[in-house]
Amino acid sequence: MNAIVALCHFCELHGPRTLFCTEALHSPLPQGASSGDSMGQGDPAEEEEMGIQMSSRIRSHSPAEGASSDSNSPRPKKSDMCEGCRSLATGHPGYISQDKETSIKYVSHQHPNHPQLFSIVRQACVRSLSCEVCPGREGPIFFGDEQHGFVFSHTFFIKDSLARGFQRWYSIIVIMMDRIYLINSWPFLLAKIRGIIDELQGKALKCLLQVFDAEQFGCPQRPLRINTAFTPFLHQRNGNAARSLTSLTSDDNLWACLHTSFAWLLKACGCRLTEKLLEGAPTEDTLVQMEKQADLEEECAAWECSEVEEGRPRPQPNVLERRELSKCPTESSVLSEWNMTTRRTAVFRSLRHMRQVLGASAFRMLAWHVLMGNQVIWKGQDKELIESAFDVLQAMLPVGCVRVILYSEQYEDAYRCNFLGLSSQAEIPPHVQTSEFAVMVDFRTAPRSNLYPVLFVDDEPLSKYEFEVASGGPVVTDRVGLSILNKIEAALINENLSMDVVDQCLICLKEEWMNKVKVLFKFTKVDSRPKEDTQKLLAILGASEEDNIKLLKFWMTGLSKTYKSHLMSSVRSPTSSECRN
């Protein structure tokens, strides 16, 4: 998490001061901050908490830290600091912890190294201990802006007999530039910071009887202050009056413990929230899938009702057909023993893989027929290979345009499916073989395993097949009007694009053309605009070529019922002018 956690104190002599701050460094550490640095007192022990390697390996001191020797530095000078507003001793290098999982360094010191960060922390410190306080002066509050960051601040008091009001004022602040993240982290930060404060106050209370009561017994402060009521208060402070937090809690390891707590807080707060992609309105594919799911549930419900009424299930052709198509390939007697042992791996992995297997020309012919809605027939023995081919090819179409019969022993008409898998014994009618509205892919076991170029080796399962792609209209391979096919092929040819990137390109292309389909449907079917206006619209959409027009008309069949009914209902509703009449 890109944030800074700081402990601040309101000094009676010098005002608001930053005592201790922890920041996460994602870049290499400053000079002298390497893992080999140490305090020069032997190799310190290391401990691990929540994946953070807690180490006392620390940075060598530099003039930019703590009290600066540069007169132009914004950091307070030694003369402007007392024991109460100083945490680490002069020359103390600070603390470093390394997260081994993310290689992030958590660095703690009195002031940030970067001048701009110092200014931001300084301003947040002043505001948290002066103007930005909650009722009662003790508790959490939120403030900030885009320029100086947003701050979660929790103020609290610690008892001190030598302080004004017998208590000193502190605050723990968390600063980050992401307002939404900080607000969402409010409950977590409040609970954890409240725990740190309770621990500090608990340590201070343990010293109460030993220090506070002893001082009151030896030199009671209340009558002393009453007797000196008209003496300037600041003049009554001596060198020991402004005591450090270490002495108030009697904990010499206080700053090391705070470093551990602040580093854990930064890591834990960064891990508890993750960013999620917020989607807008559902896409057409999502709507179609929801409608299919609803239809399937209604069909199952009707089937269950028939079982209850008649005592036995009523035969339903659609359900029986799906069951037949979903049978395990081992139930088919047409598969040879050799194919049974190799079919699990003889599959198409992606569109790019299919293009390499079939060849550029054959793949373009096949992809053209798929995009235009013509019937695509795969014929062969390996049912799993056909299933993988259909899974790969369906990625080019909207969900509503896909109708599949996975495997059949006889030819099925094009109105029933545009993807048809046939066994090797099935007969394809002659009129389909000569039709320009169908493409056939016939694959069989190759007589040798080296039919394909160097791309395929003997352990490539598909190298044991030979593929023949044929259609009654082979001239389609020479057409250049189908814009989406050209873009798909360009993405597949570009080897610099991984298939994950290509898949996202396909999604974007389908959404782009489905938007054109929606506009055309509204323009022609709903508004009933004349043909001349339709031609102008197609020119504006960049789809005036013949192939693009045919593609839009086919994809129009894939629009969801929800979208169509919404447009039709909006047309049937009375217009504002009719309502006025």
Side-chain angles (χ1 to χ4, degrees), residues 347-359:
V347 296
F348 293 102
R349 299 185 296 272
S350 62
L351 282 174
R352 180 176 290 164
H353 182 215
M354 181 179 289
R355 186 175 185 273
Q356 294 170 342
V357 173
L358 301 182

Side-chain angles (χ1 to χ4, degrees), residues 250-275:
S250 296
D251 186 359
D252 295 335
N253 297 321
L254 175 67
W255 305 117
C257 294
L258 280 179
H259 164 75
T260 304
S261 299
F262 287 174
W264 181 90
L265 185 67
L266 288 174
K267 177 178 173 61
C269 191
C271 293
R272 63 178 296 271
L273 293 179
T274 56
E275 294 183 345

Side-chain angles (χ1 to χ4, degrees), residues 491-548:
L492 296 176
I493 294 173
N494 190 348
E495 296 292 340
N496 294 326
L497 301 179
S498 65
M499 278 312 302
D500 291 336
V501 176
V502 174
D503 291 340
Q504 296 302 316
C505 290
L506 285 175
I507 294 175
C508 294
L509 286 173
K510 287 193 295 183
E511 283 299 305
E512 175 188 352
W513 282 82
M514 281 304 292
N515 289 334
K516 296 179 181 180
V517 169
K518 292 178 180 180
V519 173
L520 183 62
F521 179 82
K522 175 71 165 55
F523 200 80
T524 57
K525 303 297 183 181
V526 180
D527 297 341
S528 301
R529 305 295 287 271
K531 186 176 181 180
E532 294 77 10
D533 293 345
T534 303
Q535 292 297 329
K536 296 178 181 178
L537 174 65
L538 292 172
I540 295 174
L541 296 177
S544 57
E545 295 81 2
E546 180 183 359
D547 287 351
N548 289 332

Side-chain angles (χ1 to χ4, degrees), residues 267-288:
K267 177 178 173 61
C269 191
C271 293
R272 63 178 296 271
L273 293 179
T274 56
E275 294 183 345
K276 294 183 179 180
L277 177 62
L278 299 179
E279 298 181 354
T283 62
E284 281 300 301
D285 285 356
T286 304
L287 291 175
V288 172

Side-chain angles (χ1 to χ4, degrees), residues 406-536:
L406 181 59
Y407 205 70
S408 176
E409 297 293 339
Q410 61 183 5
Y411 172 77
E412 301 289 347
D413 292 329
Y415 73 88
R416 296 197 58 206
C417 61
N418 56 338
F419 289 95
L420 174 61
L422 294 177
S423 66
S424 56
Q425 288 79 20
E427 295 292 335
I428 301 178
H431 72 275
V432 177
Q433 298 181 13
T434 58
S435 173
E436 63 176 338
F437 302 107
V439 61
M440 290 145 288
V441 181
D442 191 3
F443 64 95
R444 62 184 66 88
T445 303
R448 58 185 185 279
S449 61
N450 57 350
L451 288 175
Y452 295 98
V454 183
L455 171 68
F456 299 98
V457 293
D458 291 339
D459 59 351
E460 168 63 47
L462 289 179
S463 65
K464 299 179 175 63
Y465 290 104
E466 58 180 359
F467 297 86
E468 180 183 354
V469 183
S471 174
V475 294
V476 297
T477 58
D478 300 329
R479 299 181 185 177
V480 295
L482 200 55
S483 304
I484 188 173
L485 178 57
N486 298 332
K487 293 182 179 180
I488 291 175
E489 283 199 312
L492 296 176
I493 294 173
N494 190 348
E495 296 292 340
N496 294 326
L497 301 179
S498 65
M499 278 312 302
D500 291 336
V501 176
V502 174
D503 291 340
Q504 296 302 316
C505 290
L506 285 175
I507 294 175
C508 294
L509 286 173
K510 287 193 295 183
E511 283 299 305
E512 175 188 352
W513 282 82
M514 281 304 292
N515 289 334
K516 296 179 181 180
V517 169
K518 292 178 180 180
V519 173
L520 183 62
F521 179 82
K522 175 71 165 55
F523 200 80
T524 57
K525 303 297 183 181
V526 180
D527 297 341
S528 301
R529 305 295 287 271
K531 186 176 181 180
E532 294 77 10
D533 293 345
T534 303
Q535 292 297 329
K536 296 178 181 178

Side-chain angles (χ1 to χ4, degrees), residues 251-401:
D251 186 359
D252 295 335
N253 297 321
L254 175 67
W255 305 117
C257 294
L258 280 179
H259 164 75
T260 304
S261 299
F262 287 174
W264 181 90
L265 185 67
L266 288 174
K267 177 178 173 61
C269 191
C271 293
R272 63 178 296 271
L273 293 179
T274 56
E275 294 183 345
K276 294 183 179 180
L277 177 62
L278 299 179
E279 298 181 354
T283 62
E284 281 300 301
D285 285 356
T286 304
L287 291 175
V288 172
Q289 289 173 346
M290 294 170 60
E291 292 171 355
K292 288 183 177 180
Q293 181 66 24
D295 293 341
L296 182 60
E297 292 176 356
E298 291 180 2
E299 186 176 357
C300 293
W303 192 10
E304 292 175 357
C305 291
S306 66
E307 290 181 354
V308 174
E309 293 174 358
E310 301 180 7
R312 59 179 181 177
R314 180 182 301 173
Q316 298 196 13
N318 294 335
V319 176
L320 295 177
E321 180 183 358
R322 282 197 298 272
R323 286 187 172 182
E324 183 68 24
L325 295 180
S326 61
K327 284 183 179 179
C328 177
T330 56
E331 299 178 9
S332 179
S333 60
V334 298
L335 299 179
S336 64
E337 183 179 356
W338 175 86
N339 187 44
M340 286 289 294
T341 60
T342 60
R343 61 186 174 83
R344 292 186 180 276
T345 56
V347 296
F348 293 102
R349 299 185 296 272
S350 62
L351 282 174
R352 180 176 290 164
H353 182 215
M354 181 179 289
R355 186 175 185 273
Q356 294 170 342
V357 173
L358 301 182
S361 177
F363 176 81
R364 181 176 177 84
M365 178 192 300
L366 178 63
W368 187 91
H369 282 280
V370 170
L371 292 170
M372 299 297 291
N374 297 334
Q375 191 173 42
V376 178
I377 304 172
W378 281 68
K379 184 179 179 183
Q381 295 179 344
D382 194 339
K383 181 179 177 181
E384 187 165 336
L385 188 148
I386 296 176
E387 183 178 1
S388 70
F390 289 168
D391 288 341
V392 168
L393 292 173
Q394 288 176 30
M396 293 189 292
L397 288 179
V399 174
C401 295

